[in-house]
Amino acid sequence: MIRVDVPLGARAYSVWVGAGAFGRLGALVGERGGASGFSAAALVADAGLPAALADRAQDQLRGAGLAVVRLELRGERAKRLATVERLCTAFREAGLDREAVVVALGGGVVGDVAGFAAAVYLRGIACLHCPTTLQAMVDSAIGGKTGVNLAAAKNQIGAVHQPVAVLCDPELVRSLPRRDRRAAFGEIVKYGMVGDPAVLARLGELGGDAGAADPASLEPLIARCCACKAELVAGDEHDQGRRAILNYGHTIGHALESTLGYGRLRHGEAVAVGMRVAGRLSVAVRGCPAADIAEQDRLLADFGLGRLPRGVAADPAAILAATRHDKKVVGGEPRWVLLDRIGAARGGYRVPAELAASALAGVLAP
Ligand code: GLY
């Protein structure tokens, strides 16, 4: 088991990465025993998970002496305020008090929505993440970003609410559909491009088969991404500076997700297309070596990423219009994360609209 610490003073926590991490849920919750222990738990699980997995989580929480209310949500469409109200109402009906813990069992949507409900219920109760997708393990479960979408744009309502722990068990991704597993490599390549070139080297060794590899073999790669994220979060918890580099590829990625309709693309698929656009802009605006971006595009292609899936058509004008709803917009203009070279990223760049349009057109061209 690899432990990655997120050193945030009073809000510090650990990310546990390894086979068997999920089996530590009961012990971790139970460790907070005595007067300061948790009073009860709300288990918020993805409705698409095997029931046996949620049963295991519930049994562990009960084994730790907690009463458990079990709730479900399904898909990106559940990522809206109405779901948060539904969850908070159920927390209230179950009598959850300020010492209760919300356990999020699922991918990015479950983590974001359950985390946000935990952030606002009684002005904030504890939350523990058990991500079940590779994407959530390497990114969304860490760092405290929680929230929901507006119809027009992703993640526009939310709060930073750090979890008390994150349990990343690669065994849980075994049953993931191949498309979901592969899509997560969009975010993993991103870590290599913006922060930790060792991730790229490891991906190169694993090759395109990494998407189908034995999950146990992914443990060091997951831990490396978690460590990269932990460092950025520790240095910039509220995303006012350097943490923004994690949004490389997300200006177009989020715009694609909202214009195509939430859930049409996997998040990693959308981000991978966005990284190819941001890569072209990095060459044009920052003089990033074209070879660095060619390396990025080659790795993405190894996982079948970086292009829209067959049968999915996108309207470039609508995508560019949607970038103006991005959270990072200043004065109505999106601010881009660009690279000077692999491992050297910065956010906040303005890009002339015609340059962005031509980079997008180049990437969307058949
Ligand atoms: N997913 C980007 C961040 O947590 O900052």
Side-chain angles (χ1 to χ4, degrees):
M1 190 84 59
I2 303 170
R3 191 180 100 191
V4 176
D5 291 327
V6 187
L8 283 170
R11 294 177 306 293
Y13 56 97
S14 296
V15 181
W16 298 91
V17 183
F22 178 59
R24 299 184 61 146
L25 172 63
L28 261 179
V29 165
E31 265 166 28
R32 247 181 82 157
S36 63
F38 296 120
S39 56
L43 174 63
V44 182
D46 187 314
L49 287 173
L53 196 61
D55 289 347
R56 270 180 67 199
Q58 181 166 338
D59 290 348
Q60 289 192 64
L61 294 168
R62 287 204 171 133
L66 301 183
V68 183
V69 55
R70 188 159 150 180
L71 303 155
E72 287 191 338
L73 30 123
R74 187 184 291 277
E76 184 83 32
R77 279 169 224 272
K79 198 170 160 180
R80 53 201 175 108
L81 271 177
T83 311
V84 176
E85 185 170 6
R86 173 169 74 80
L87 292 182
C88 289
T89 304
F91 297 169
R92 178 71 267 142
E93 284 168 3
L96 261 55
D97 62 21
R98 295 177 71 181
E99 304 308 321
V101 59
V102 173
V103 176
L105 180 68
V109 169
V110 170
D112 283 6
V113 179
F116 187 50
V120 295
Y121 180 70
L122 303 179
R123 298 207 178 90
I125 64 173
C127 181
L128 187 152
H129 288 292
C130 293
T132 60
T133 66
L134 202 45
Q135 184 276 335
M137 287 182 196
V138 296
D139 187 39
S140 58
I142 304 163
K145 279 193 183 172
T146 69
V148 294
N149 301 329
L150 286 179
K154 248 188 99 107
N155 296 342
Q156 298 269 301
I157 300 173
V160 175
H161 186 61
Q162 301 297 341
V164 293
V166 182
L167 303 179
C168 297
D169 192 332
E171 290 300 321
L172 301 194
V173 308
R174 215 175 265 289
S175 61
L176 269 190
R178 193 173 148 71
R179 181 176 174 190
D180 292 289
R181 268 219 235 177
R182 246 189 19 196
F185 284 88
E187 291 281 4
I188 294 175
V189 173
K190 178 197 81 179
Y191 279 108
M193 294 304 292
V194 303
D196 186 354
V199 168
L200 300 180
R202 180 75 188 130
L203 280 175
E205 283 159 28
L206 286 167
D209 288 344
D214 181 355
S217 69
L218 299 177
E219 204 172 296
L221 190 62
I222 297 172
R224 194 103 207 183
C225 294
C226 293
C228 184
K229 176 135 191 190
E231 191 194 322
L232 287 164
V233 169
D236 180 20
E237 184 182 8
H238 289 275
D239 199 4
Q240 302 294 311
R242 201 164 149 61
R243 181 171 175 172
I245 66 174
L246 289 169
N247 273 335
Y248 179 62
H250 285 59
T251 305
I252 290 294
H254 282 164
L256 262 173
E257 287 180 271
S258 61
T259 51
L260 289 174
Y262 296 122
R264 187 89 190 277
L265 291 187
R266 303 296 188 267
H267 179 62
E269 292 170 344
V271 167
V273 174
M275 284 166 63
R276 289 192 60 219
V277 177
R280 285 172 179 234
L281 294 174
S282 298
V283 174
V285 176
R286 299 297 306 161
C288 177
D292 287 13
I293 302 308
E295 165 77 352
Q296 161 192 285
D297 293 357
R298 190 187 56 71
L299 279 169
L300 291 173
D302 274 355
F303 294 100
L305 297 171
R307 293 185 173 281
L308 290 178
R310 201 167 303 142
V312 175
D315 171 1
I319 296 168
L320 290 169
T323 62
R324 291 194 277 278
H325 297 297
D326 191 78
K327 287 196 303 305
K328 301 277 191 287
V329 158
V330 181
E333 268 191 85
R335 297 299 160 103
W336 297 74
V337 179
L338 301 178
L339 303 175
D340 286 349
R341 59 180 185 283
I342 287 177
R346 253 184 60 189
Y349 290 109
R350 292 160 70 167
V351 169
E354 56 285 3
L355 201 56
S358 113
L360 178 62
V363 167
L364 293 182

Short mmCIF file of all heavy atoms in Angstrom, two decimals, residues 4 11 35 122 126 159 183 185 193 210 226 228 254 256 302:
data_model
loop_
_atom_site.label_atom_id
_atom_site.label_comp_id
_atom_site.label_asym_id
_atom_site.label_seq_id
_atom_site.Cartn_x
_atom_site.Cartn_y
_atom_site.Cartn_z
N VAL A 4 0.00 8.50 0.13
CA VAL A 4 0.37 9.82 -0.39
C VAL A 4 -0.30 10.84 0.53
O VAL A 4 -1.53 10.84 0.67
CB VAL A 4 -0.13 10.01 -1.84
CG1 VAL A 4 0.16 11.43 -2.33
CG2 VAL A 4 0.49 8.97 -2.78
N ARG A 11 -6.41 20.41 7.79
CA ARG A 11 -7.23 19.64 6.84
C ARG A 11 -6.40 18.57 6.11
O ARG A 11 -6.80 18.07 5.07
CB ARG A 11 -7.89 20.57 5.81
CG ARG A 11 -8.92 21.51 6.43
CD ARG A 11 -9.49 22.46 5.40
NE ARG A 11 -8.47 23.19 4.69
CZ ARG A 11 -7.67 24.12 5.24
NH1 ARG A 11 -7.80 24.43 6.52
NH2 ARG A 11 -6.74 24.71 4.52
N ALA A 35 -15.17 9.87 21.70
CA ALA A 35 -16.07 11.02 21.67
C ALA A 35 -15.98 11.78 20.35
O ALA A 35 -16.95 12.37 19.90
CB ALA A 35 -15.74 11.96 22.83
N LEU A 122 -25.56 21.04 6.81
CA LEU A 122 -25.22 21.59 8.13
C LEU A 122 -23.94 22.43 8.07
O LEU A 122 -23.14 22.44 8.99
CB LEU A 122 -25.09 20.47 9.18
CG LEU A 122 -26.31 19.57 9.35
CD1 LEU A 122 -26.04 18.49 10.39
CD2 LEU A 122 -27.54 20.37 9.73
N ALA A 126 -18.05 15.67 7.39
CA ALA A 126 -16.90 14.96 6.83
C ALA A 126 -17.28 14.16 5.59
O ALA A 126 -18.43 13.72 5.44
CB ALA A 126 -16.31 14.03 7.89
N ALA A 159 -17.86 23.90 -4.13
CA ALA A 159 -17.12 24.33 -2.94
C ALA A 159 -15.85 23.51 -2.87
O ALA A 159 -15.79 22.40 -3.40
CB ALA A 159 -17.97 24.08 -1.70
N ALA A 183 -10.37 5.92 -21.18
CA ALA A 183 -10.56 7.38 -21.15
C ALA A 183 -9.74 8.03 -20.04
O ALA A 183 -9.24 9.14 -20.19
CB ALA A 183 -12.04 7.69 -20.97
N PHE A 185 -6.88 7.57 -19.21
CA PHE A 185 -5.50 7.85 -19.59
C PHE A 185 -5.35 9.26 -20.18
O PHE A 185 -4.24 9.78 -20.27
CB PHE A 185 -4.96 6.76 -20.52
CG PHE A 185 -4.62 5.52 -19.74
CD1 PHE A 185 -5.59 4.55 -19.50
CD2 PHE A 185 -3.37 5.36 -19.17
CE1 PHE A 185 -5.31 3.43 -18.73
CE2 PHE A 185 -3.08 4.25 -18.40
CZ PHE A 185 -4.04 3.28 -18.17
N MET A 193 2.36 15.59 -18.89
CA MET A 193 2.67 16.79 -19.69
C MET A 193 2.88 18.01 -18.79
O MET A 193 3.74 18.83 -19.05
CB MET A 193 1.54 17.08 -20.69
CG MET A 193 1.37 16.04 -21.78
SD MET A 193 2.86 15.72 -22.75
CE MET A 193 3.09 17.24 -23.66
N ALA A 210 -1.85 -0.56 -21.53
CA ALA A 210 -2.06 -0.21 -20.12
C ALA A 210 -3.54 -0.13 -19.79
O ALA A 210 -3.96 -0.44 -18.68
CB ALA A 210 -1.38 1.13 -19.81
N CYS A 226 -1.28 10.75 -8.09
CA CYS A 226 -1.83 11.27 -6.82
C CYS A 226 -0.80 12.19 -6.15
O CYS A 226 -1.15 13.24 -5.60
CB CYS A 226 -2.17 10.14 -5.86
SG CYS A 226 -3.54 9.12 -6.42
N CYS A 228 1.55 13.92 -7.59
CA CYS A 228 1.65 15.16 -8.36
C CYS A 228 0.49 16.08 -7.97
O CYS A 228 0.67 17.27 -7.71
CB CYS A 228 1.61 14.78 -9.85
SG CYS A 228 1.84 16.16 -10.96
N HIS A 254 -14.12 20.86 -21.27
CA HIS A 254 -15.41 21.17 -20.63
C HIS A 254 -16.41 21.71 -21.64
O HIS A 254 -17.61 21.39 -21.58
CB HIS A 254 -15.21 22.21 -19.52
CG HIS A 254 -14.64 21.62 -18.25
ND1 HIS A 254 -14.09 22.40 -17.26
CD2 HIS A 254 -14.56 20.34 -17.81
CE1 HIS A 254 -13.68 21.61 -16.27
NE2 HIS A 254 -13.96 20.36 -16.58
N LEU A 256 -16.59 20.97 -24.77
CA LEU A 256 -17.10 19.82 -25.55
C LEU A 256 -18.18 19.08 -24.76
O LEU A 256 -19.22 18.71 -25.31
CB LEU A 256 -15.96 18.84 -25.80
CG LEU A 256 -15.24 18.89 -27.13
CD1 LEU A 256 -14.05 17.95 -27.09
CD2 LEU A 256 -16.17 18.53 -28.28
N ASP A 302 -2.26 6.18 -28.61
CA ASP A 302 -2.06 4.79 -28.13
C ASP A 302 -3.29 4.29 -27.36
O ASP A 302 -3.57 3.10 -27.30
CB ASP A 302 -0.88 4.73 -27.16
CG ASP A 302 0.44 4.55 -27.88
OD1 ASP A 302 0.43 4.39 -29.10
OD2 ASP A 302 1.49 4.62 -27.18
#
